[in-house]
Amino acid sequence: MNISNDENPSLLARIAQTKRPDLVVTIGYGDELPVFRHARALWQFYMCHFPGIEVIFVRWSDKLKRGEVMSDGHDLLVGIGDGFQGEAGYNNSGVWSQSENARWIYRQVLVQDYLLRTRDKPFFLYQTTITSVVDFRGLCTVLDHLAPVNCFAGPLGRLTAPEVFNGLTFVSGASALMSRDVLLRMRERYDPHHPFATVPNDIWQAAVLDDVPRQALPTFNFLKPRAPRADGAYLYQTAQWLVREGHYHFRIKTVAPEDAAARREDIDPWIMLRLMEAVLDSEHLPQATLALVDKVQRLADGGAGQPVAPRRAGPLHTGPRDFAMNDNEIAYP
């Protein structure tokens, strides 16, 4: 991570000097829910404070031919054509249908192919969601300590069912880091006709990368239902505390789409705004981030702090945990 050493620059000026030329951030979203469009507007504001970080918003386009990819400013447009017709489940249930999963994986492969074709040097790809907030200073600190090859890292989970996926360790699609060589392997192994190409994209990634160890990294989830614009001061103060504790990725998902009593677009963007304000008002403490990463890695598979096998029987997380992973684990004053 390169940060300017100008004499006595302001906090925002120092944040704006955060640079990582070998990092590409992709944020994919669609028009399934209004919350995604509201979150995009917030990201448009937020990324102005990190001009040295390349952020690409991935979107569908009905004006491009199927499989065609075109760069349009900060957007990368992907043509979908009339393929992948089927049930649109996310609007109603909050769960992607098989056809939606297949479409998202198809788009992901096209985007990664575009990045591989337009970049010859090694780079990291960071995939996150439009309803996440990322402190890129913390992410860059993590990257300073990761090898630029064979990297597949992020918050980990482990499946116990169905049997074909029993023991499979996956990296959350909300915060996934991959090196260029790993992207090459995924592109080579993509088979749109394989049954795995209809599962959620983070499970598909884990299945095709069955020879790549996983590296555990932290995340923090805001899940607690709240009223619109509620708890602003609490959210701001909590986020500042979390940044001091070393956190850098925050996912916000408080309301399921099927919950007719509350509209996520009226709640989550307000939480995102408070978190963005807190990040921009907080100093980054590299040692805190590295200490948190060490804690997370020592929770996985026996506490050795080493990369995790792609597949292994038994629980993923073992031993006591002394840090919160979501806002349901923090006492409200």
Side-chain angles (χ1 to χ4, degrees), residues 109-163:
V109 172
L110 288 174
V111 169
Q112 293 175 353
D113 172 69
Y114 173 86
L115 296 176
L116 289 168
R117 288 187 289 106
T118 55
R119 291 161 174 80
D120 295 326
K121 296 181 179 179
F123 67 91
F124 290 99
L125 172 64
Y126 181 63
Q127 294 179 161
T128 190
T129 61
I130 195 71
T131 52
S132 292
V133 173
V134 182
D135 183 350
F136 290 112
R137 298 168 299 175
L139 178 61
C140 289
T141 292
V142 170
L143 289 173
D144 286 342
H145 294 80
L146 291 178
V149 294
N150 215 37
C151 177
F152 186 32
L156 300 185
R158 178 166 291 160
L159 298 176
T160 58
E163 183 59 33

Side-chain angles (χ1 to χ4, degrees), residues 14 36 54 72 102 125 154 177-178 206 220 252 300 306 308 319 324:
R14 283 183 280 122
F36 297 154
E54 183 179 6
D72 182 17
L125 172 64
L177 267 172
M178 289 167 279
F220 190 90
I252 301 90
Q306 299 299 313
V308 175

Side-chain angles (χ1 to χ4, degrees), residues 83-326:
F84 303 104
Q85 299 300 314
E87 181 185 3
Y90 194 79
N91 274 336
N92 301 317
S93 67
V95 178
W96 301 107
S97 67
Q98 287 189 333
S99 60
E100 287 172 324
N101 287 333
R103 187 171 68 164
W104 279 93
I105 292 171
Y106 174 73
R107 185 173 80 173
Q108 175 181 325
V109 172
L110 288 174
V111 169
Q112 293 175 353
D113 172 69
Y114 173 86
L115 296 176
L116 289 168
R117 288 187 289 106
T118 55
R119 291 161 174 80
D120 295 326
K121 296 181 179 179
F123 67 91
F124 290 99
L125 172 64
Y126 181 63
Q127 294 179 161
T128 190
T129 61
I130 195 71
T131 52
S132 292
V133 173
V134 182
D135 183 350
F136 290 112
R137 298 168 299 175
L139 178 61
C140 289
T141 292
V142 170
L143 289 173
D144 286 342
H145 294 80
L146 291 178
V149 294
N150 215 37
C151 177
F152 186 32
L156 300 185
R158 178 166 291 160
L159 298 176
T160 58
E163 183 59 33
V164 68
F165 292 139
N166 185 28
L168 183 68
T169 303
F170 65 94
V171 173
S172 167
S175 179
L177 267 172
M178 289 167 279
S179 52
R180 189 182 193 278
D181 59 309
V182 169
L183 300 182
L184 282 168
R185 271 179 266 187
M186 279 201 295
R187 183 177 67 178
E188 293 168 356
R189 298 170 184 179
Y190 172 59
D191 178 0
H193 304 294
H194 195 284
F196 289 178
T198 62
V199 300
N201 75 314
D202 46 7
I203 307 305
W204 172 78
Q205 289 176 168
V208 298
L209 296 175
D210 58 356
D211 56 348
V212 182
R214 287 62 158 132
Q215 300 181 64
L217 295 176
T219 186
F220 190 90
N221 292 277
F222 284 87
L223 307 171
K224 187 179 296 184
R226 303 179 189 276
R229 302 186 68 178
D231 306 329
Y234 167 77
L235 290 165
Y236 174 87
Q237 293 166 6
T238 298
Q240 283 202 308
W241 169 69
L242 290 168
V243 170
R244 291 195 299 271
E245 291 292 301
H247 282 280
Y248 61 88
H249 175 260
F250 308 94
R251 189 185 186 202
I252 301 90
K253 190 174 183 181
T254 62
V255 178
E258 70 273 16
D259 184 357
R263 301 196 317 164
R264 190 180 171 199
E265 62 265 29
D266 293 336
I267 300 171
D268 290 8
W270 287 105
I271 297 175
M272 290 179 63
L273 179 60
R274 297 294 170 253
L275 303 191
M276 289 176 174
E277 289 178 325
V279 169
L280 297 176
D281 284 344
S282 300
E283 294 283 358
H284 169 55
L285 304 175
Q287 291 307 314
T289 295
L290 296 177
L292 179 61
V293 169
D294 183 68
K295 286 183 179 182
V296 170
Q297 293 182 345
R298 291 186 181 280
L299 278 178
D301 280 348
Q306 299 299 313
V308 175
R311 191 184 293 259
R312 180 175 175 178
L316 172 64
H317 298 116
T318 58
R321 174 165 57 89
D322 63 355
F323 58 92
M325 297 178 66
N326 64 73

